[in-house]
Coordinates of all heavy atoms in Angstrom, one line a residue:
M86 N 5.3 38.1 11.2 CA 4.3 37.0 10.9 C 4.6 36.5 9.5 O 4.8 37.2 8.5 CB 2.9 37.6 10.9 CG 1.8 36.5 10.6 SD 0.2 37.3 10.8 CE -0.7 36.3 9.7
C87 N 4.6 35.2 9.4 CA 4.9 34.5 8.1 C 3.7 34.6 7.2 O 2.6 34.3 7.5 CB 5.3 33.1 8.3 SG 5.6 32.2 6.7
I88 N 4.0 35.1 6.0 CA 2.9 35.3 5.0 C 3.0 34.3 3.9 O 2.3 34.3 2.9 CB 2.8 36.7 4.5 CG1 4.1 37.1 3.8 CG2 2.4 37.7 5.5 CD1 4.0 38.4 3.0
L89 N 4.0 33.4 3.9 CA 4.2 32.4 2.9 C 3.0 31.4 2.9 O 2.4 31.1 3.9 CB 5.5 31.6 3.1 CG 6.8 32.4 2.9 CD1 7.9 31.4 3.3 CD2 6.9 32.8 1.5
S90 N 2.6 31.0 1.7 CA 1.5 30.0 1.5 C 2.1 28.6 1.8 O 2.9 28.1 1.1 CB 1.0 30.1 0.1 OG 0.0 29.1 0.0
L91 N 1.6 28.0 2.9 CA 2.1 26.7 3.3 C 1.2 25.6 2.6 O 0.0 25.8 2.3 CB 2.0 26.5 4.8 CG 2.9 27.5 5.6 CD1 2.7 27.3 7.0 CD2 4.4 27.3 5.2
M92 N 1.8 24.4 2.4 CA 1.0 23.3 1.9 C 1.2 22.1 2.8 O 2.2 21.4 2.6 CB 1.5 23.0 0.5 CG 0.7 21.8 -0.2 SD 1.3 21.3 -1.7 CE 0.9 22.7 -2.7
P93 N 0.4 22.0 3.8 CA 0.6 20.9 4.8 C 0.7 19.5 4.2 O 1.6 18.7 4.5 CB -0.6 21.0 5.7 CG -1.0 22.5 5.5 CD -0.8 22.8 4.1
H94 N -0.2 19.1 3.3 CA -0.2 17.8 2.8 C -0.3 17.8 1.2 O -0.9 18.7 0.6 CB -1.4 16.9 3.3 CG -1.1 16.4 4.7 ND1 -1.0 17.3 5.8 CD2 -0.8 15.2 5.2 CE1 -0.7 16.6 6.9 NE2 -0.6 15.3 6.5
V95 N 0.4 16.8 0.6 CA 0.5 16.7 -0.8 C 0.2 15.3 -1.3 O 0.6 14.3 -0.7 CB 1.9 17.1 -1.3 CG1 2.1 17.0 -2.8 CG2 2.3 18.5 -0.8
I96 N -0.6 15.2 -2.4 CA -0.8 13.9 -3.0 C 0.1 13.7 -4.2 O 0.2 14.5 -5.1 CB -2.3 13.8 -3.5 CG1 -3.3 14.1 -2.3 CG2 -2.6 12.4 -4.1 CD1 -4.7 14.1 -2.7
V97 N 0.8 12.6 -4.2 CA 1.8 12.3 -5.2 C 1.5 11.2 -6.1 O 0.3 10.7 -6.2 CB 3.2 12.1 -4.5 CG1 3.6 13.3 -3.7 CG2 3.2 10.9 -3.6
S98 N 2.4 10.7 -6.9 CA 2.1 9.8 -8.1 C 1.3 8.6 -7.9 O 0.6 8.2 -8.8 CB 3.5 9.5 -8.8 OG 4.2 8.6 -7.9
P99 N 1.3 7.9 -6.8 CA 0.5 6.7 -6.7 C -1.0 6.9 -6.9 O -1.7 6.0 -7.2 CB 0.8 6.1 -5.3 CG 2.2 6.6 -5.0 CD 2.2 8.0 -5.6
C100 N -1.4 8.1 -6.7 CA -2.8 8.4 -6.9 C -3.2 8.4 -8.4 O -4.4 8.2 -8.7 CB -3.2 9.8 -6.3 SG -4.9 10.3 -6.4
I101 N -2.3 8.7 -9.2 CA -2.6 8.8 -10.7 C -3.2 7.4 -11.2 O -2.6 6.4 -11.0 CB -1.3 9.1 -11.5 CG1 -0.9 10.5 -11.1 CG2 -1.6 9.1 -13.0 CD1 0.4 10.9 -11.7
G102 N -4.4 7.6 -11.8 CA -5.1 6.4 -12.3 C -5.8 5.6 -11.3 O -6.4 4.6 -11.6
V103 N -5.7 5.9 -10.0 CA -6.3 5.2 -8.9 C -7.5 6.0 -8.4 O -8.7 5.5 -8.5 CB -5.4 4.9 -7.7 CG1 -6.1 4.2 -6.6 CG2 -4.2 4.0 -8.2
K104 N -7.3 7.2 -7.8 CA -8.3 8.1 -7.4 C -9.4 7.3 -6.6 O -10.6 7.4 -6.9 CB -9.0 8.8 -8.6 CG -8.0 9.7 -9.3 CD -8.5 10.3 -10.6 CE -9.6 11.3 -10.3 NZ -10.1 11.9 -11.6
D105 N -8.9 6.7 -5.5 CA -9.8 5.8 -4.7 C -10.9 6.6 -4.0 O -12.0 6.0 -3.8 CB -8.9 5.1 -3.7 CG -9.8 4.2 -2.8 OD1 -10.1 3.1 -3.2 OD2 -10.1 4.7 -1.6
Q106 N -10.7 7.9 -3.7 CA -11.7 8.7 -3.0 C -11.8 8.5 -1.5 O -12.6 9.2 -0.9 CB -13.1 8.6 -3.6 CG -13.2 9.1 -5.1 CD -14.6 9.2 -5.6 OE1 -15.4 9.8 -5.0 NE2 -14.9 8.5 -6.7
A107 N -11.1 7.6 -1.0 CA -11.2 7.4 0.5 C -10.7 8.6 1.2 O -11.3 9.0 2.2 CB -10.3 6.2 0.9
C108 N -9.8 9.3 0.6 CA -9.3 10.6 1.3 C -10.4 11.6 1.3 O -10.6 12.4 2.3 CB -8.1 11.1 0.5 SG -8.4 11.4 -1.2
T109 N -11.1 11.7 0.2 CA -12.2 12.8 0.2 C -13.3 12.5 1.2 O -13.9 13.4 1.6 CB -12.8 12.9 -1.3 OG1 -13.5 11.6 -1.6 CG2 -11.7 13.1 -2.3
E110 N -13.5 11.2 1.5 CA -14.5 10.9 2.5 C -14.1 11.2 3.9 O -15.0 11.4 4.7 CB -14.9 9.4 2.3 CG -15.5 9.1 1.0 CD -15.6 7.6 0.7 OE1 -15.3 6.8 1.5 OE2 -16.0 7.3 -0.5
V111 N -12.9 11.2 4.2 CA -12.4 11.4 5.6 C -12.0 12.9 5.9 O -11.9 13.3 7.0 CB -11.3 10.5 6.0 CG1 -11.7 9.0 5.9 CG2 -10.0 10.7 5.2
C112 N -11.7 13.6 4.8 CA -11.3 15.0 5.0 C -12.4 15.9 5.6 O -13.4 16.0 5.1 CB -10.8 15.6 3.7 SG -10.2 17.3 3.9
P113 N -12.1 16.4 6.8 CA -13.1 17.2 7.5 C -13.5 18.5 6.9 O -14.5 19.1 7.3 CB -12.5 17.4 8.9 CG -11.1 17.3 8.7 CD -10.8 16.4 7.6
V114 N -12.6 19.0 6.1 CA -12.9 20.4 5.5 C -13.1 20.3 3.9 O -13.2 21.3 3.3 CB -11.7 21.3 5.8 CG1 -11.7 21.6 7.3 CG2 -10.4 20.8 5.3
E115 N -13.2 19.1 3.4 CA -13.5 18.9 2.0 C -12.5 19.7 1.1 O -13.0 20.4 0.2 CB -14.9 19.2 1.7 CG -15.9 18.3 2.5 CD -17.3 18.5 2.2 OE1 -17.7 19.4 1.4 OE2 -18.2 17.8 2.7
C116 N -11.2 19.6 1.4 CA -10.3 20.3 0.6 C -9.5 19.5 -0.4 O -8.5 19.9 -1.0 CB -9.3 21.0 1.5 SG -8.2 19.9 2.4
I117 N -10.0 18.3 -0.7 CA -9.4 17.4 -1.7 C -10.3 17.4 -2.9 O -11.4 17.0 -2.9 CB -9.2 16.0 -1.1 CG1 -8.4 16.0 0.2 CG2 -8.5 15.1 -2.2 CD1 -8.3 14.7 0.9
Y118 N -9.7 17.8 -4.1 CA -10.4 18.0 -5.3 C -10.0 17.1 -6.4 O -8.8 16.7 -6.4 CB -10.3 19.5 -5.7 CG -10.9 20.5 -4.7 CD1 -10.1 21.0 -3.7 CD2 -12.2 20.9 -4.8 CE1 -10.6 21.9 -2.8 CE2 -12.7 21.8 -3.9 CZ -12.0 22.3 -2.9 OH -12.5 23.1 -2.0
D119 N -10.9 16.8 -7.4 CA -10.5 16.1 -8.5 C -9.6 17.0 -9.4 O -10.1 18.0 -9.9 CB -11.8 15.7 -9.3 CG -11.5 14.7 -10.4 OD1 -10.4 14.7 -10.9 OD2 -12.4 13.9 -10.7
G120 N -8.4 16.5 -9.6 CA -7.5 17.3 -10.4 C -7.3 16.7 -11.8 O -6.3 17.0 -12.5
G121 N -8.2 15.9 -12.3 CA -8.0 15.2 -13.6 C -7.5 13.8 -13.5 O -8.2 12.9 -13.2
D122 N -6.1 13.7 -13.6 CA -5.6 12.3 -13.5 C -5.4 11.9 -12.1 O -5.0 10.7 -11.8 CB -4.2 12.3 -14.3 CG -3.2 13.3 -13.7 OD1 -3.5 14.2 -12.9 OD2 -2.0 13.1 -14.1
Q123 N -5.5 12.8 -11.1 CA -5.4 12.4 -9.7 C -6.1 13.4 -8.8 O -6.6 14.4 -9.3 CB -3.9 12.5 -9.3 CG -3.3 13.9 -9.3 CD -2.0 14.0 -8.7 OE1 -1.0 14.1 -9.3 NE2 -1.9 14.0 -7.3
F124 N -6.2 13.1 -7.5 CA -6.8 14.1 -6.6 C -5.7 15.0 -6.2 O -4.5 14.7 -6.1 CB -7.4 13.4 -5.4 CG -8.8 12.8 -5.7 CD1 -8.9 11.4 -5.8 CD2 -9.9 13.6 -6.0 CE1 -10.1 10.8 -6.1 CE2 -11.1 13.0 -6.4 CZ -11.2 11.6 -6.4
L125 N -6.1 16.3 -5.8 CA -5.1 17.3 -5.3 C -5.7 18.0 -4.1 O -6.9 18.1 -4.0 CB -4.9 18.3 -6.4 CG -4.2 17.8 -7.7 CD1 -4.3 18.8 -8.8 CD2 -2.8 17.4 -7.5
I126 N -4.8 18.4 -3.2 CA -5.2 19.1 -2.0 C -5.0 20.6 -2.1 O -3.9 21.0 -2.5 CB -4.4 18.5 -0.8 CG1 -4.7 17.0 -0.6 CG2 -4.7 19.3 0.5 CD1 -3.8 16.4 0.4
H127 N -6.1 21.3 -1.7 CA -6.0 22.8 -1.8 C -5.1 23.2 -0.6 O -5.5 23.1 0.5 CB -7.4 23.4 -1.7 CG -7.4 24.9 -2.1 ND1 -6.6 25.8 -1.4 CD2 -8.0 25.5 -3.1 CE1 -6.8 27.0 -2.0 NE2 -7.7 26.8 -3.0
P128 N -4.0 23.9 -1.0 CA -3.0 24.3 0.1 C -3.6 25.2 1.1 O -3.2 25.1 2.3 CB -1.9 24.9 -0.7 CG -2.1 24.5 -2.1 CD -3.5 24.2 -2.3
D129 N -4.4 26.1 0.7 CA -5.0 27.1 1.7 C -6.1 26.6 2.5 O -6.5 27.2 3.5 CB -5.4 28.4 0.9 CG -4.2 29.1 0.4 OD1 -3.1 28.9 0.9 OD2 -4.4 30.0 -0.5
E130 N -6.7 25.5 2.1 CA -7.9 25.0 2.8 C -7.5 23.8 3.7 O -8.2 23.6 4.7 CB -8.9 24.5 1.8 CG -9.5 25.6 1.0 CD -10.5 25.1 -0.1 OE1 -10.8 24.0 -0.1 OE2 -10.9 26.0 -0.9
C131 N -6.4 23.1 3.5 CA -6.0 22.0 4.3 C -5.6 22.5 5.7 O -4.9 23.4 5.8 CB -4.8 21.3 3.6 SG -4.1 19.9 4.6
I132 N -6.2 21.8 6.7 CA -5.9 22.2 8.1 C -4.8 21.3 8.7 O -4.6 21.3 9.9 CB -7.2 22.2 8.9 CG1 -7.8 20.7 8.9 CG2 -8.1 23.2 8.4 CD1 -8.9 20.6 9.9
D133 N -4.2 20.4 7.9 CA -3.0 19.6 8.3 C -3.4 18.6 9.4 O -2.7 18.4 10.4 CB -1.9 20.6 8.9 CG -0.6 19.9 8.9 OD1 -0.4 18.9 8.2 OD2 0.3 20.4 9.7
C134 N -4.6 18.1 9.3 CA -5.1 17.1 10.4 C -4.5 15.7 10.2 O -4.4 15.0 11.2 CB -6.6 17.1 10.4 SG -7.3 16.1 8.9
G135 N -4.1 15.4 9.0 CA -3.5 14.1 8.7 C -4.5 12.9 8.6 O -4.0 11.8 8.4
A136 N -5.8 13.2 8.6 CA -6.7 12.1 8.5 C -6.7 11.3 7.2 O -7.0 10.2 7.1 CB -8.1 12.7 8.7
C137 N -6.3 12.0 6.1 CA -6.3 11.4 4.8 C -5.1 10.4 4.6 O -5.2 9.6 3.8 CB -6.2 12.5 3.7 SG -4.8 13.6 3.9
V138 N -4.1 10.6 5.4 CA -2.9 9.8 5.2 C -3.1 8.3 5.3 O -2.9 7.5 4.4 CB -1.7 10.3 6.1 CG1 -0.5 9.4 5.9 CG2 -1.3 11.7 5.7
P139 N -3.7 7.8 6.5 CA -3.9 6.4 6.6 C -5.1 5.9 5.8 O -5.2 4.7 5.5 CB -4.2 6.2 8.1 CG -4.7 7.6 8.5 CD -4.0 8.6 7.7
A140 N -5.9 6.8 5.3 CA -7.1 6.4 4.5 C -6.7 6.0 3.1 O -7.4 5.2 2.5 CB -8.1 7.5 4.5
C141 N -5.6 6.5 2.6 CA -5.2 6.3 1.2 C -4.7 4.9 1.0 O -3.7 4.5 1.7 CB -4.1 7.3 0.8 SG -3.6 7.0 -0.9
P142 N -5.4 4.1 0.2 CA -5.0 2.7 0.0 C -3.6 2.5 -0.8 O -3.1 1.4 -0.8 CB -6.1 2.1 -0.8 CG -6.7 3.3 -1.6 CD -6.5 4.4 -0.7
V143 N -3.2 3.6 -1.4 CA -1.9 3.5 -2.1 C -0.8 4.3 -1.5 O 0.2 4.6 -2.2 CB -2.1 3.8 -3.6 CG1 -2.9 2.7 -4.3 CG2 -2.7 5.1 -3.9
S144 N -1.0 4.8 -0.3 CA 0.0 5.6 0.4 C 0.5 6.8 -0.5 O 1.7 7.0 -0.6 CB 1.1 4.8 0.9 OG 0.7 3.8 1.7
A145 N -0.4 7.6 -1.0 CA 0.0 8.7 -1.9 C 0.0 10.0 -1.2 O 0.3 11.0 -1.9 CB -1.0 8.7 -3.1
I146 N -0.3 10.1 0.1 CA -0.4 11.4 0.7 C 0.7 11.6 1.8 O 0.8 10.7 2.6 CB -1.8 11.6 1.3 CG1 -2.9 11.3 0.3 CG2 -2.0 13.1 1.8 CD1 -4.3 11.4 0.8
F147 N 1.3 12.7 1.7 CA 2.4 13.0 2.6 C 2.4 14.5 3.1 O 2.0 15.4 2.3 CB 3.8 12.8 2.0 CG 4.0 11.4 1.5 CD1 3.6 11.0 0.3 CD2 4.7 10.5 2.3 CE1 3.8 9.6 -0.1 CE2 4.9 9.2 1.9 CZ 4.4 8.7 0.7
P148 N 2.8 14.8 4.3 CA 3.1 16.2 4.7 C 4.2 16.7 3.7 O 5.0 15.9 3.3 CB 3.7 16.1 6.1 CG 3.2 14.7 6.6 CD 3.2 13.8 5.4
E149 N 4.1 17.9 3.3 CA 5.0 18.4 2.3 C 6.4 18.2 2.6 O 7.2 17.8 1.8 CB 4.8 20.0 2.1 CG 5.7 20.5 1.1 CD 5.5 22.0 0.8 OE1 4.4 22.5 1.2 OE2 6.3 22.6 0.2
E150 N 6.8 18.3 3.9 CA 8.2 18.1 4.3 C 8.6 16.6 4.2 O 9.8 16.4 4.2 CB 8.5 18.6 5.7 CG 7.7 17.9 6.8 CD 6.3 18.6 7.0 OE1 5.8 19.3 6.1 OE2 5.8 18.5 8.2
D151 N 7.7 15.7 4.0 CA 8.0 14.3 4.0 C 7.8 13.7 2.6 O 7.8 12.5 2.4 CB 7.2 13.5 5.0 CG 7.6 13.9 6.4 OD1 8.7 14.3 6.7 OD2 6.7 13.7 7.3
V152 N 7.5 14.5 1.6 CA 7.3 14.0 0.2 C 8.6 13.2 -0.2 O 9.7 13.7 -0.1 CB 7.0 15.2 -0.8 CG1 7.1 14.7 -2.2 CG2 5.7 15.7 -0.5
P153 N 8.4 12.0 -0.7 CA 9.5 11.1 -1.1 C 10.4 11.7 -2.2 O 9.9 12.5 -3.0 CB 8.9 9.8 -1.5 CG 7.5 9.8 -0.9 CD 7.1 11.3 -0.9
G154 N 11.6 11.4 -2.2 CA 12.5 11.8 -3.3 C 12.0 11.4 -4.6 O 11.5 10.3 -4.8
G155 N 12.1 12.3 -5.6 CA 11.6 12.0 -6.9 C 10.1 12.4 -7.1 O 9.6 12.4 -8.2
E156 N 9.5 12.7 -6.0 CA 8.1 13.1 -6.1 C 7.9 14.6 -5.8 O 6.7 15.1 -5.7 CB 7.2 12.3 -5.0 CG 7.3 10.8 -5.2 CD 6.3 10.3 -6.2 OE1 5.2 10.9 -6.4 OE2 6.7 9.3 -6.9
E157 N 9.0 15.4 -5.8 CA 8.9 16.8 -5.4 C 8.1 17.6 -6.4 O 7.5 18.6 -6.0 CB 10.3 17.4 -5.3 CG 11.1 16.8 -4.1 CD 11.9 15.6 -4.5 OE1 11.7 15.0 -5.6 OE2 12.8 15.2 -3.7
S158 N 8.0 17.2 -7.6 CA 7.3 17.9 -8.6 C 5.8 18.0 -8.3 O 5.1 18.9 -8.8 CB 7.5 17.3 -10.0 OG 6.9 16.0 -10.1
F159 N 5.3 17.1 -7.5 CA 3.9 17.1 -7.2 C 3.5 18.3 -6.2 O 2.4 18.7 -6.1 CB 3.5 15.8 -6.6 CG 3.3 14.7 -7.7 CD1 4.5 14.0 -8.1 CD2 2.1 14.5 -8.3 CE1 4.4 13.1 -9.1 CE2 2.0 13.5 -9.3 CZ 3.2 12.8 -9.7
I160 N 4.5 18.8 -5.5 CA 4.3 19.9 -4.6 C 3.9 21.1 -5.5 O 2.9 21.8 -5.3 CB 5.5 20.3 -3.8 CG1 5.9 19.1 -2.9 CG2 5.3 21.6 -3.0 CD1 7.2 19.3 -2.2
E161 N 4.6 21.3 -6.6 CA 4.3 22.4 -7.5 C 3.0 22.1 -8.3 O 2.2 23.0 -8.6 CB 5.5 22.6 -8.5 CG 5.3 23.7 -9.5 CD 5.3 25.1 -8.8 OE1 5.7 25.2 -7.6 OE2 5.0 26.1 -9.5
K162 N 2.8 20.8 -8.6 CA 1.6 20.5 -9.4 C 0.3 20.9 -8.6 O -0.7 21.4 -9.1 CB 1.5 19.0 -9.7 CG 0.3 18.5 -10.5 CD 0.4 17.0 -10.8 CE -0.7 16.6 -11.7 NZ -0.7 15.1 -12.0
N163 N 0.4 20.7 -7.3 CA -0.8 21.0 -6.4 C -0.9 22.6 -6.4 O -2.0 23.1 -6.5 CB -0.5 20.6 -5.0 CG -1.0 19.1 -4.7 OD1 -2.0 18.9 -4.1 ND2 -0.2 18.2 -5.2
R164 N 0.2 23.3 -6.2 CA 0.1 24.7 -6.2 C -0.5 25.3 -7.5 O -1.4 26.2 -7.5 CB 1.5 25.3 -6.0 CG 2.1 25.1 -4.6 CD 3.3 26.0 -4.5 NE 4.2 25.5 -3.4 CZ 3.9 25.8 -2.1 NH1 2.9 26.5 -1.8 NH2 4.7 25.4 -1.2
V165 N 0.0 24.8 -8.6 CA -0.4 25.4 -9.9 C -1.8 25.1 -10.2 O -2.6 26.0 -10.7 CB 0.5 24.8 -11.0 CG1 0.0 25.1 -12.4 CG2 2.0 25.2 -10.9
H166 N -2.3 23.9 -9.8 CA -3.7 23.6 -10.1 C -4.6 24.6 -9.4 O -5.7 24.9 -10.0 CB -4.0 22.2 -9.6 CG -5.4 21.8 -9.8 ND1 -5.9 21.3 -11.0 CD2 -6.5 21.7 -8.9 CE1 -7.2 21.0 -10.9 NE2 -7.6 21.3 -9.7
F167 N -4.3 25.1 -8.2 CA -5.1 26.0 -7.5 C -4.8 27.4 -7.7 O -5.2 28.3 -7.0 CB -5.2 25.6 -6.0 CG -5.8 24.3 -5.8 CD1 -5.0 23.2 -5.4 CD2 -7.1 24.1 -5.9 CE1 -5.5 21.9 -5.2 CE2 -7.7 22.8 -5.7 CZ -6.9 21.7 -5.3
G168 N -3.9 27.7 -8.7 CA -3.5 29.1 -9.0 C -2.7 29.7 -8.0 O -2.7 31.0 -7.8
L169 N -1.9 29.0 -7.2 CA -1.1 29.5 -6.1 C 0.4 29.5 -6.5 O 0.8 28.9 -7.4 CB -1.3 28.7 -4.9 CG -2.7 28.7 -4.4 CD1 -2.8 27.7 -3.2 CD2 -3.2 30.1 -3.9
Ligands
LIG473 FE1 -8.0 17.1 4.5 FE2 -6.7 16.8 6.8 FE3 -5.8 15.6 4.6 FE4 -5.6 18.2 4.9 S1 -4.5 16.7 6.1 S2 -6.3 17.2 3.0 S3 -7.4 18.7 6.0 S4 -7.7 15.2 5.6

């Protein structure tokens, strides 16, 4: 059994300074938190439903495996914020 901590969805740079909150309104498990300059998704709480992706007006949310090139540092930013 895999015990690695997975991070299904990640919020990247377009959220910075925008923080529209549309994602927080559609997330069924309320796992999107205010991370200061942007919103961040709790890796252990996200159920990978994908509802937040089309809700984001600046297309800032991606499954971890689809995070655009140059935005990879946000994967670690999410982990560190939640102490993972
Ligand atoms: Fe919430 Fe679903 Fe987005 Fe995960 S993928 S942050 S559970 S809306």
Side-chain angles (χ1 to χ4, degrees):
M86 182 176 151
C87 178
I88 58 171
L89 291 175
S90 178
L91 300 176
M92 182 186 291
H94 281 69
V95 179
I96 302 178
V97 299
S98 66
C100 181
I101 296 175
V103 177
K104 296 173 70 178
D105 180 80
Q106 297 191 53
C108 59
T109 65
E110 294 168 7
V111 300
C112 179
V114 293
E115 300 184 355
C116 68
I117 304 174
Y118 296 89
D119 191 333
D122 60 347
Q123 68 168 104
F124 284 112
L125 297 167
I126 295 173
H127 194 301
D129 288 344
E130 297 178 4
C131 177
I132 60 172
D133 201 21
C134 72
C137 55
V138 175
C141 179
V143 292
S144 300
I146 310 176
F147 298 86
E149 181 176 344
E150 61 270 25
D151 294 335
V152 167
E156 300 278 326
E157 295 90 347
S158 65
F159 285 85
I160 298 172
E161 183 67 10
K162 183 177 182 180
N163 275 256
R164 289 190 196 284
V165 169
H166 179 78
F167 295 106
L169 302 172

